[in-house]
Amino acid sequence: MLLYPKPLRVLKAISSESMQTDPGSINTEDEVLAEPDVPGLWSKESYQPHQVPKEDMERKPVGGSKMEKDILARTMERLRSGVIQKQVVSGREFKGRPFNSKPEVIHFKDFDIGKVYKKKITLINATYTINYCKLVGVEENLKDFIHIDFDPPGPMSAGMSCEVLVTFKPMINKDLEGNVSFLAQTGGFSVPLKCSTKKCSLSLDTELIDFGSYVVGETTSRMITLTNVGGLGTKFKFLLDSELYEMDDSQPIVKISSLFNCEDKTLYEKLISSYSEQQLEVNEFSSMDLLSQKESEKQLDDAEVTTAAVSAMTMPPSEEQAEITLGEVREGEIGPFSSIKVPIIFTPIIPGEVQNKFKVVFKDPQSPTLYFRATGTAIDVPVWVPRATVDLKICMYDRLYQDSITVHTRSKAALRLKFEVCKELRGHIELLPETGYIQAQSTYSVQLKFLPRQSLPEDARKYFDPASRVLEAPMTIRVADQIKPVRFTVQAIVTTSDLEINPSEINFGYCTIYEAIRTEIRLSNLSLLPQEFGFVGLPKYIDIQPNDGFGTILPLETLRLDLIFQPIKAREYKFELICKSEINRCFKLSCQAIGVHPPLELSHYQIKFSATSLYDTSVSTLYVINSHVSMNKLIHSLPRIGSEEASPVGPTSFEFLLPPKSPITISPSVGTVLPGKRCLVQVAFQPVLPQDKIFEEAIQLLGKETETKTKETGQKKELWKQSLSMVRVHNRERLTRTSTTQSTELQRPEVNVSSIEFQAAQATLSKAFQGKFERFVIPCVVASGDIKDRKTTEPLSFSPHNTLYLELWCPAVAPFIVVTSHNGKTVFNFGDIAVGHRSIKKITLQNICNEDLTLGYSVLNPNGPFVRLNPFSKLCSGETQTLVLSFSPRESILAQETLDIITKRGTLSLTLLGTGVASMITCSIEGNTLNMGYVLARESVSTTFKLQNESLLPIKFWVRLESLSKKKAETYQQLPKFLTSREQRTEIVGTQNYNGQSVFSISPVEGLMFPGKAQEFTVTFSPDHESLYFSDLLQVVLFEKKVSHQIFLKGAAREHMMFVEGSDPLDVPVESLAVITAFDPEHKEEAEEIKPILVTLNYVQFDTDTTTPPATRELQVGCIRTTQPSPRKTVEFNLDSVSWLQHKGFSIEPSRGFVERGQTKTINISWVPPADFDPDHPLIVSSLLQLRGDIKETYKVIFVAHVVTEQ
């Protein structure tokens, strides 16, 4: 084997160093990349060193002195700092790359010399606002090949883009890297640029070719594929690994002399002469394509220069003929992005294993040599088994596994075969048939049966590994007339099929028929195979989960199963559970329990509360039922414990035992249920925050406030010291002592539940609450008897086996809507509000969850005092809105209502409280009627009454008359009530004055009555003409709405000082406003008018013999008090025909008399039917009544008497 000569390595090193010089120094005869502008500039003959004049040498250097360079650098730095500006938008300063490039890297791949490549990139403004972009340029090593076309677009808004055209014209075959630099208003940035030459990327599809087993003399072949996924083609050659061969360049070595400098040529010539002395065979490749040849020459670097000068070195082939050889195609050229298949031939000569190593070498120096290996086996037996190892995988004990083994023959004659199993495994493995004949050049199948017994580890210790459970059993096929047998191996992993249940026995203990007991069992698979299992034949009172006790268990896996026992009646239980595997193996589990039937039962044993916000309440109801009404076991099952005696029939008591400090409330928690009855129980869940955490948060808040106050006090202290710096020392000491005293006064007050700090801390923790789920199991103990009959010190006896259990699921969540006003309270008390008044409260609500909520409201009592004034239907996330509520009591009432704000995430309950205080006012007038009496026309009379404020609130009042109301005009448009109503004198507003002024007036008309005070009112009656039907309605209005009192005012007016009243009405209560005179006013005194008066008397006659009282009536004769002078001070009255009236049964007392001013006198009239009275005809008699005052008036009194029978 020949080695590389040492001068060749030196040549490589020198070539590498020479390639780092200026590319302009490279000058070859056939490869001229660019012609120089000045011919002969690089030729050795025409180049003469330039002689610099002496006077020019004394001048300053082109770059200037060091100080000038420093001044220039500082000037450029100031200019750049003026160009680059910081960009601040909305208080945020932009930091980062001002423009993004698409694509991020400008990559020219697989380029060709002389061609022009163009790519467009897009620059996108990534800053916050308008920015500018300016091209700075490319690096020095790229300026000869890269040209940038960029038209600055001016100011660019954020997100806007511009395009840049990059043109690449390669002149040398070399990888280039650099950056295209730009300058923006916020700083500079650059876009990476790469230029990659064409390269080879070669690979083989496999590194090992396995021919398998072949008989000596046969020939077979396999194909190996060589693939090039690169953009550069190259020459290749397949060789044995022992051969040494390298590719050389088609150019002579002398051409590389131009790559060296003048000083290095001597060394190069020495290396060449030394290298030429070596006895190497130089094989030149055929001429390549001119374009690909130039491309490869342009890619020459230090390694390429070396390989271009080295020829291939090979070994003479071996004389021995190899069994694995290469095919006819051994070398060639592979193009870019192509593949070539090369055959590998196997011709076995000698029996045994054969292998050979090959390699693939390439002309491209950057492509490494590829290696692969070929193996094969040469056999000379005509009978063989394709599967030397029969793998039965994993097998279970006592299970039959079968497989078919195919035997092949190459013989041209039939052969007799005998199949043998080793002695140790004959009880487990069987080959059928044991003997057979295989025909010429055919196959023969033999049946393999494997039934591993439990004794396999003992029987086949030599072939069985107990640790790994692997069985490797050798099998033999003996061929007639052949000494060497054919052997193959049966391999299997033998595992058990056992399932293990732990524990093997379970005692559930005592369990009521209303509950279930769950226990956990572990099912283990000891096998290496997954097994399906199932618990079959389960009784009704047993349940196994998950999947009802069925499933698949993986190898060596342990499953945890829940065994649930719920008895159906009270008795003792003993049973077995059977678990069957898929191969029908049974595994048993023994269980026992005692069923209990308690004397009481619950309607629900599990309550799942909905997600409840903090300080909200969820309520659920259930019943405690006593269904034990008879000791007859044929009617229903009797309550008992197991097989003990049944519980007696009678009242049974219960008690729920709540855990301490739980958010659960059960009402009633203790009670007695009679037989056949049930008791309603309410279970309330109200999640709250622990008071310890609230106190800790409140103390922290209070500490922060104290620190703030201390700082403020310290600042004031410093100011005092500065202002009093000129005062004497003892004054300063006194000031310091005073400040210290004030600071000690800022002690932290105690935190209690009603303090503001506690409420603020509670609101803060409620907002930060992350949610909590709790599960409670509440025991309910049961005892026979009534709790009312027990003694105070003697508890009822109960059995722990009769205990009932109530399961509660209590999820607590943070409130989705919180009250941010009123320190987060949800109870709002409007206080005492007078009836008719209104109080308003504004409640601020905030949505603290991450989604918008649609609000709904519960319906308030439409007739109640609470009203929502501005209900809003939506509350966005984080939004705060104000809900306005009013309280307007209409009566004296203690009002309480709950306003529920309903969302899909929860409900916020607001409790509204308020007290309506009624305006308690009493009037001094009895009967609500104020009669002003008789008054002379055109005179007035006044009277007073009082209203007393008995309430605790000041009351504002208004007084109004019905005659002055707005409905008066409407009333006048209607018919008089004496025409439309049967009742007489039903008009509230009667006769009014002719002059348009009100007959009645009152003072004051409005005011304020303080609590416990009385208000006096004055009513004045001023008629302007004679009438008996002056009337009006006085209303006392409180708070502009409520009418507390209605007082009926009435009065009469006469032209003269006397009047008679008490008779039956003979006219209508409404008079015309027109004055109609019945006689001449000048002869008024001469014409005497007689006015009729009707007096009706009804004598009631009883059917019994009892004495019947006489019928009675009264007439009042009065004298009006007047301020006008009058000759008479009294009024005289006289009734005629008294004796005749007495004859008719009438009795009149007095019949004559005098009446003083302002006084009235009553004339009593009684009647008893005379003996000759006819009951069918009424008695009608008349008499004259004369009144003498300022004038004389005569009245004709008509007496009408009836006898009526009592009904």
Side-chain angles (χ1 to χ4, degrees), residues 86-276:
K86 292 183 178 180
Q87 187 183 94
V88 180
V89 177
S90 299
R92 295 176 58 191
E93 180 182 353
F94 175 78
K95 294 181 180 181
R97 185 183 178 92
F99 283 82
N100 293 333
S101 172
K102 289 188 178 180
E104 296 181 356
V105 180
I106 308 171
H107 195 182
F108 295 96
K109 297 188 296 184
D110 300 334
F111 61 82
D112 295 327
I113 300 298
K115 292 186 179 180
V116 178
Y117 302 91
K118 294 183 179 181
K119 280 195 176 183
K120 278 188 178 182
I121 63 172
T122 303
L123 300 179
I124 303 173
N125 184 7
T127 59
Y128 297 148
T129 182
I130 296 175
N131 206 339
Y132 298 84
C133 184
K134 176 184 176 182
L135 176 64
V136 176
V138 298
E139 298 177 357
E140 290 294 333
N141 60 335
L142 300 176
K143 287 186 177 180
D144 295 337
F145 316 105
I146 301 298
H147 176 69
I148 308 298
D149 293 330
F150 177 61
D151 186 9
M156 296 174 62
S157 300
M160 299 299 291
S161 61
C162 61
E163 292 185 349
V164 180
L165 179 62
V166 182
T167 304
F168 173 50
K169 186 175 182 181
M171 303 299 292
I172 59 175
N173 194 21
K174 183 179 181 181
D175 292 342
L176 301 174
E177 289 188 8
N179 295 293
V180 181
S181 301
F182 296 88
L183 180 63
Q185 189 177 8
T186 56
F189 67 96
S190 60
V191 181
L193 186 142
K194 292 183 179 180
C195 302
S196 303
T197 59
K198 292 183 178 180
K199 296 179 177 61
C200 296
S201 179
L202 301 163
S203 63
L204 295 173
D205 61 341
T206 181
E207 294 181 355
L208 174 64
I209 299 176
D210 188 2
F211 287 94
S213 299
Y214 283 88
V215 180
V216 175
E218 294 183 348
T219 302
T220 185
S221 64
R222 297 284 189 274
M223 303 299 294
I224 187 168
T225 304
L226 175 64
T227 305
N228 182 14
V229 296
L232 180 65
T234 184
K235 289 186 177 181
F236 68 92
K237 188 170 184 180
F238 283 77
L239 301 170
L240 292 173
D241 187 29
S242 58
E243 297 184 41
L244 183 61
Y245 189 91
E246 289 196 6
M247 299 289 184
D248 66 336
D249 196 1
S250 59
Q251 301 295 332
I253 300 177
V254 183
K255 292 175 57 179
I256 308 178
S257 61
S258 60
L259 299 175
F260 294 89
N261 295 330
C262 299
E263 304 82 58
D264 299 334
K265 285 188 175 182
T266 305
L267 178 60
Y268 175 72
E269 291 174 356
K270 292 179 180 180
L271 291 173
I272 294 301
S273 60
S274 175
Y275 176 71
S276 61

Side-chain angles (χ1 to χ4, degrees), residues 465-707:
D465 184 6
S468 60
R469 305 181 186 181
V470 176
L471 173 68
E472 293 183 351
M475 302 288 116
T476 305
I477 304 176
R478 299 191 179 276
V479 184
D481 302 330
Q482 182 177 322
I483 300 176
K484 185 177 181 180
V486 178
R487 303 181 184 275
F488 66 95
T489 304
V490 176
Q491 183 177 354
I493 300 175
V494 185
T495 182
T496 182
S497 60
D498 292 344
L499 295 177
E500 182 181 15
I501 301 176
N502 191 20
S504 59
E505 294 183 359
I506 293 178
N507 187 357
F508 290 97
Y510 292 87
C511 179
T512 66
I513 63 174
Y514 304 120
E515 63 177 344
I517 293 181
R518 179 182 62 87
T519 186
E520 187 179 78
I521 61 174
R522 295 182 296 275
L523 180 65
S524 302
N525 183 12
L526 305 181
S527 173
L528 298 178
L529 288 175
Q531 297 191 67
E532 294 183 356
F533 68 92
F535 286 84
V536 296
L538 295 178
K540 295 182 180 180
Y541 44 81
I542 285 292
D543 185 20
I544 300 179
Q545 293 298 329
N547 299 326
D548 297 327
F550 291 84
T552 301
I553 183 169
L554 299 179
L556 304 178
E557 183 187 14
T558 299
L559 294 180
R560 298 179 183 271
L561 303 177
D562 290 333
L563 190 60
I564 303 171
F565 170 68
Q566 184 176 10
I568 56 178
K569 62 180 180 179
R571 68 179 183 88
E572 295 182 0
Y573 293 85
K574 289 184 179 181
F575 53 93
E576 287 186 347
L577 302 180
I578 299 176
C579 176
K580 281 192 175 183
S581 64
E582 60 181 335
I583 61 175
N584 205 25
R585 292 195 62 189
C586 297
F587 305 92
K588 295 182 179 181
L589 175 64
S590 299
C591 302
Q592 61 180 352
I594 298 177
V596 179
H597 188 172
L600 295 181
E601 60 180 298
L602 302 179
S603 60
H604 299 85
Y605 291 90
Q606 185 184 57
I607 296 177
K608 296 181 181 180
F609 290 101
S610 59
T612 307
S613 302
L614 288 177
Y615 300 97
D616 195 3
T617 304
S618 296
V619 180
S620 182
T621 59
L622 57 91
Y623 290 94
V624 180
I625 305 171
N626 186 357
S627 59
H628 184 34
V629 295
S630 174
M631 294 295 292
N632 187 357
K633 62 180 180 180
L634 299 177
I635 299 176
H636 61 86
S637 59
L638 300 180
R640 57 162 50 96
I641 299 175
S643 18
E644 298 179 4
E645 294 183 0
S647 300
V649 178
T652 308
S653 301
F654 66 90
E655 181 178 1
F656 288 94
L657 304 178
L658 291 175
K661 296 183 180 180
S662 65
I664 303 299
T665 303
I666 298 180
S667 177
S669 60
V670 181
T672 302
V673 186
L674 299 178
K677 303 296 182 181
R678 63 180 184 176
C679 178
L680 177 65
V681 177
Q682 285 189 345
V683 183
F685 169 54
Q686 184 181 20
V688 296
L689 293 172
Q691 286 195 355
D692 298 340
K693 292 185 178 180
I694 300 178
F695 277 114
E696 291 178 3
E697 183 70 17
I699 291 173
Q700 292 180 2
L701 295 177
L702 196 58
K704 293 180 181 179
E705 294 180 0
T706 306
E707 291 178 0

Side-chain angles (χ1 to χ4, degrees), residues 56-74:
D56 294 340
M57 295 178 63
E58 297 177 356
R59 297 179 183 177
K60 294 182 179 180
V62 178
S65 63
K66 180 179 181 182
M67 181 176 66
E68 291 176 347
K69 291 182 179 180
D70 294 342
I71 293 173
L72 178 61
R74 289 195 297 271

Side-chain angles (χ1 to χ4, degrees), residues 16 22 191 237 267 403 437 554 659 972 1060 1108 1110 1145:
S16 176
D22 187 8
V191 181
K237 188 170 184 180
L267 178 60
D403 197 358
Y437 287 87
L554 299 179
Y972 285 166
V1060 178
T1108 302

